[in-house]
Amino acid sequence: MAELLSLREAVERFINDGDTVALEGFTHLIPTAASHEIIRQGKKDLTLVRMTPDLVYDLLIGAGCAKKLVFSWGGNPGVGSLHRLRDAVEKQWPHALEIEEHSHADLANSYVAGASGLPFAVLRAYAGSDLPKVNPLIKTVTCPFTGEVLAAVPSVRPDVTVIHAQKADRKGNVLLWGILGVQKEAALAAKRCIVTVEEIVDDLNAPMNACVLPTWALAAVCHVPGGAHPSYAHGYYERDNRFYQAWDPIARDRETFTAWINEYIRGTKDFAQFQEKIAKAKIAEAK
């Protein structure tokens, strides 16, 4: 059953050094606030899983929290590279990073297999691809009914999945809508799941066929308004495109990056204070 906790307490209790952690969200509802809190608490040696690593994983990798990345695409959407990810892979800064690359379809099916309690996923994929040459975990199986050769990949079963959603009720049931990505599957595949939400309400008023994660499938629900910024939360706020653009020069340089996280993440007590500090910086820049 989900407990209603502060994000600080949830990360402290449920994310341990050395854990496999998935922070999922696609285009919107990306759990940015949770990534900040992981950095504040100095979690380390994490295996990070995400279908589309973007700024949240650039932060975690650059802050030295990660030892391995399991992914299917990585970049700053609409802008370019993730410079902290590149620096870790190419020059081992702040330390070496192991990478395990999959396709989108592969990793999505791996989450589904994990949520289903299966050891691996089977899919029709990788014909003509060189990816199996660099990822030995991508194997083949022969269908016992048709003889067709199919791709097989291990299921993804994180120690912890973290997602952001729009609403939770006071019992810990969570409602999310809009583009869902693999949040549901990632949550159900995990041993523990932390959900940050825009608001906590008395009644979800969930429409028919809505995506509702039941309280019994979750470990903690945390009230963190704006917790997906700079991505958007459908129905609450828009994507902050300028933040993604501004991130590129910040992340390019090690000293600039380190100064930024020391000022805005390690130098703030929580995500609300981070938002206040960023807002003041924007006002000062405009003047």
Side-chain angles (χ1 to χ4, degrees):
M1 303 291 283
E3 297 182 68
L4 300 183
L5 301 173
S6 69
L7 181 56
R8 179 196 60 77
E9 186 176 4
V11 170
E12 184 177 52
R13 286 176 55 180
F14 297 118
I15 298 180
N16 305 307
D17 291 346
D19 275 352
T20 295
V21 182
L23 286 86
E24 282 295 351
F26 184 72
T27 304
H28 77 141
L29 300 179
I30 296 171
T32 307
S35 72
H36 287 198
E37 188 58 35
I38 291 169
I39 293 170
R40 281 191 197 93
Q41 295 191 22
K43 303 294 183 179
K44 60 183 185 296
D45 295 327
L46 302 177
T47 294
L48 299 176
V49 187
R50 180 167 163 77
M51 283 188 63
T52 54
D54 53 8
L55 272 56
V56 292
Y57 278 15
D58 215 27
L59 280 165
L60 288 164
I61 291 166
C65 299
K67 68 175 182 181
K68 180 177 179 180
L69 177 64
V70 181
F71 71 110
S72 57
W73 177 88
N76 183 344
V79 180
S81 293
L82 294 178
H83 300 294
R84 294 302 93 221
L85 168 57
R86 290 192 63 152
D87 207 8
V89 173
E90 295 174 358
K91 299 180 181 178
Q92 294 77 55
W93 191 92
H95 50 69
L97 179 72
E98 181 183 352
I99 58 171
E100 179 185 310
E101 187 175 0
H102 298 260
S103 71
H104 277 345
D106 167 347
L107 203 49
N109 277 278
S110 296
Y111 276 125
V112 172
S116 304
L118 297 172
F120 64 92
V122 177
L123 63 156
R124 186 177 286 111
Y126 291 120
S129 171
D130 285 335
L131 200 52
K133 296 178 182 179
V134 296
N135 183 350
L137 294 177
I138 300 170
K139 300 184 181 297
T140 59
V141 295
T142 301
C143 175
F145 305 104
T146 66
E148 182 179 6
V149 177
L150 301 167
V153 289
S155 62
V156 173
R157 307 196 74 176
D159 294 303
V160 188
T161 287
V162 185
I163 63 172
H164 189 73
Q166 285 98 335
K167 289 183 181 181
D169 64 22
R170 302 190 191 283
K171 295 179 181 178
N173 300 296
V174 169
L175 170 66
L176 59 162
W177 67 90
I179 301 172
L180 296 183
V182 293
Q183 288 99 308
K184 176 182 68 174
E185 291 80 5
L188 296 177
K191 297 175 184 175
R192 305 179 293 279
C193 183
I194 299 170
V195 186
T196 56
V197 295
E198 292 296 325
E199 61 176 331
I200 296 177
V201 298
D202 292 326
D203 192 332
L204 292 179
N205 291 317
M208 187 176 294
N209 297 322
C211 181
V212 177
L213 296 174
T215 181
W216 51 261
L218 311 173
V221 169
C222 314
H223 184 212
V224 189
H229 180 270
S231 75
Y232 72 98
H234 186 74
Y236 288 80
Y237 46 89
E238 296 181 349
R239 188 179 192 267
D240 187 350
N241 292 316
R242 290 189 177 183
F243 191 99
Y244 287 89
Q245 294 170 332
W247 182 250
D248 188 78
I250 292 170
R252 277 182 182 272
D253 180 76
R254 294 175 184 177
E255 291 185 3
T256 304
F257 167 81
T258 301
W260 191 91
I261 63 169
N262 286 341
E263 173 73 16
Y264 290 103
I265 298 181
R266 294 182 179 128
T268 55
K269 67 177 182 179
D270 56 24
F271 198 68
Q273 193 173 88
F274 162 81
Q275 290 173 302
E276 291 175 9
K277 212 164 195 178
I278 283 291
K280 289 179 181 177
K282 285 183 178 180
I283 292 170
E285 183 181 351
K287 289 181 178 179

